[in-house]
Amino acid sequence: MTTTATAPDGLRDTLPPSALAWFDEALARAASAGAGGPAAWEPRFAEAGRRCGPAAADAVRTALLRAARPGPADTARLYRHGSAGERRAVLLALPDLGLAPAEGLALVEDALRANDTSLVAAAVGPFAAAHLPAHAWRHAVLKCLFTGVPVATVAGLADRSRGDGELARMLTDYAAERSAAGRPVPDDVRRVLALTEV
């Protein structure tokens, strides 16, 4: 039986005409793979940037992952052996892959240890908002501040910050250290501090 998949609204409109047939074929292969199925779609996952352009690569790769729904071991392998773009797509697709929290959090935590700000930004998405323990989540927010990742990328920021006295203490200490060193305090520190007071 052939499984069909559809692209997210508007994604096909962003692709260059030369990539449309390639994308439709790649999406069909991913949809027919199923969890634990043949990996014939995986080369398409890797070549998405070259075929569809860097601007559409994240959306194309996440669409392929959502269609294929690889199991935990395959998802971890795609992340661990992937390029930065492939890792980012795995992180962005986590909420839709049906992984247990611990399986996805291992990838989120790995990305939060990285110096690649695009991985950090992808790691603080909805999966982290739903599953990252409070202590690790606070440190993820600080990592964004340290690396210049806008806190607007942190999913669930307002809800998780609300009334969080420990986060407020950490941010206040961070701001004091920056001020003492004669360095500017990022505006995002004040934004998150204001959220902790709500």
Side-chain angles (χ1 to χ4, degrees):
M1 184 174 85
T2 301
T3 305
T4 58
T6 57
D9 289 343
L11 174 55
R12 294 182 93 258
D13 295 337
T14 69
L15 298 177
S18 60
L20 290 173
W22 176 91
F23 175 64
D24 289 340
E25 187 268 344
L27 195 62
R29 281 181 183 253
S32 66
W41 65 277
E42 290 184 16
R44 278 83 180 161
F45 178 74
E47 67 187 21
R50 180 169 53 84
R51 293 286 194 155
C52 301
D58 282 351
V60 167
R61 286 187 176 120
T62 55
L64 295 178
L65 286 164
R66 288 172 181 140
R69 291 183 60 85
D74 287 333
T75 300
R77 177 179 50 75
L78 287 168
Y79 175 85
R80 302 237 180 255
H81 297 294
S83 66
E86 292 162 38
R87 289 179 175 212
R88 189 170 55 248
V90 169
L91 294 165
L92 294 170
L94 281 178
D96 303 314
L97 299 184
L99 301 183
E103 294 162 346
L105 284 177
L107 308 181
V108 168
E109 290 164 353
D110 180 80
L112 289 172
R113 290 190 293 270
N115 292 322
D116 183 330
T117 55
S118 72
L119 289 180
V120 173
V124 293
F127 194 89
H131 303 295
L132 204 58
H135 180 73
W137 184 82
R138 291 179 191 118
H139 281 279
V141 172
L142 282 175
K143 175 85 176 205
C144 289
L145 294 169
F146 291 148
T147 59
V149 172
V151 295
T153 64
V154 179
L157 180 66
D159 289 338
R160 290 204 64 170
S161 298
R162 188 174 296 115
D164 190 335
E166 179 61 14
L167 178 59
R169 182 197 64 76
M170 294 167 72
L171 293 170
T172 301
D173 289 350
Y174 172 66
E177 289 170 13
R178 301 262 316 175
S179 295
R183 300 174 73 188
V185 176
D187 290 340
D188 274 351
V189 172
R190 295 179 190 87
R191 288 188 187 101
V192 182
L193 272 171
L195 291 172
T196 67
E197 297 168 1
V198 175

